[in-house]
């Protein structure tokens, strides 16, 4: 007879979301949910527990502390303990499912706790390329805040008559607010690809 194992850590609050410090029990990796959807397809059973926050369109994996400090991926953020400030992650009760805005997309459990960064990094790298397309060259201005961004996201193309015009870019914060148009997104990605081939 096997006895059920308990996870090494469980959320202390059973009633509501609780802001907990990263770097104490785990670090967290944040990705836009569209990127996370693709990464989760690739990870399959190699994914640990996953928190999804539908309010802000973010998904979080829990990973070992200090295991991903050097990562540099577009729109992927590693939340870890910093020397001069604490970073908090809103953690839902272990029993919360998709009926809540913030919930465990992959429930926390003995077999689903921390995700191995060695599996997560390549899955996120491929997902970023698949979902966000090629990297635009150089800094671009965000259409909304009009500030330069090092992580421009092509959101649409301006058309002038029968000729395609300029690509419209957004910073990661405002890209999710832009109305999605699959045709113009595909055209913007194609244009960025073509530009890369001719330089």
């Amino acid at each position: 007879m096997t006895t059920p194992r308990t996870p090494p850590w469980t959320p202390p609050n059973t009633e509501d979301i609780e802001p907990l410090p990263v770097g104490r029990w785990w670090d967290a990796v944040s990705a836009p949910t569209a990127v996370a959807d693709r990464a989760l397809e690739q990870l399959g059973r190699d994914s640990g527990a996953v928190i999804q926050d539908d309010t802000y369109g973010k998904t979080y994996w829990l990973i070992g502390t200090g295991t991903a400090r050097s990562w540099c991926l577009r729109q992927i953020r590693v939340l870890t303990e910093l020397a001069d400030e604490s970073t908090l992650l809103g953690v839902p009760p272990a029993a919360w499912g998709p009926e809540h805005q913030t919930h465990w997309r992959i429930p926390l459990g003995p077999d689903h706790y921390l995700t191995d960064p060695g599996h997560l990094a390549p899955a996120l790298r491929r997902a970023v390329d698949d979902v966000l397309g090629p990297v635009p060259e150089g800094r671009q201005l965000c259409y909304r805040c009009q500030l330069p961004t090092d992580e421009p996201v092509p959101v649409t193309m301006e058309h002038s008559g029968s000729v395609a015009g300029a690509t419209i870019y957004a910073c990661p914060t405002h890209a999710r607010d832009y109305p999605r148009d699959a045709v113009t997104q595909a055209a913007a990605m194609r244009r960025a690809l073509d530009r890369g081939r001719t330089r």
Side-chain angles (χ1 to χ4, degrees):
M1 178 176 142
T2 60
T3 46
R5 294 182 306 153
T6 58
W9 170 88
T10 54
N13 192 331
T14 59
E15 301 297 324
D16 203 354
I17 296 168
E18 183 169 7
L20 295 175
V22 296
R24 182 175 298 172
W25 303 282
W26 31 256
D27 285 350
V29 174
S30 161
T33 297
V35 171
D37 291 344
R38 184 75 184 105
L40 283 166
E41 287 174 18
Q42 296 176 48
L43 279 167
R45 299 174 68 84
D46 288 331
S47 181
V50 175
I51 297 171
Q52 184 164 313
D53 182 350
D54 291 333
T55 304
Y56 297 101
K58 296 284 185 184
T59 300
Y60 302 87
W61 283 267
L62 304 182
I63 60 171
T65 57
T67 57
R69 289 178 188 260
S70 63
W71 287 14
C72 185
L73 295 166
R74 280 188 294 161
Q75 297 192 39
I76 305 301
R77 300 289 177 260
V78 177
L79 308 178
T80 189
E81 185 176 38
L82 302 173
D84 56 349
E85 64 183 68
S86 55
T87 304
L88 303 174
L89 176 64
V91 177
W96 279 21
E99 68 277 6
H100 297 274
Q101 285 284 95
T102 301
H103 61 276
W104 291 93
R105 178 166 175 172
I106 296 180
L108 183 70
D111 300 321
H112 288 104
Y113 179 43
L114 301 181
T115 300
D116 180 345
H119 295 300
L120 182 57
L124 283 172
R125 208 169 281 119
R126 286 190 300 271
V128 164
D129 289 343
D130 290 350
V131 175
L132 301 180
V135 181
E137 290 186 27
R139 300 177 92 195
Q140 301 290 336
L141 284 180
C142 171
Y143 83 98
R144 174 102 181 262
C145 62
Q146 291 299 300
L147 295 173
T149 175
D150 290 322
E151 295 183 293
V153 178
V155 289
T156 191
M157 289 182 71
E158 287 181 336
H159 297 279
S160 55
S162 61
V163 180
T167 302
I168 305 296
Y169 294 97
C171 63
T173 302
H174 293 121
R176 63 190 160 108
D177 298 332
Y178 199 90
R180 293 294 176 194
D181 179 345
V183 173
T184 52
Q185 274 189 306
M189 288 182 195
R190 184 72 182 153
R191 186 168 176 253
L193 272 173
D194 291 342
R195 189 185 315 144
R197 288 194 194 107
T198 56
R199 290 189 180 192

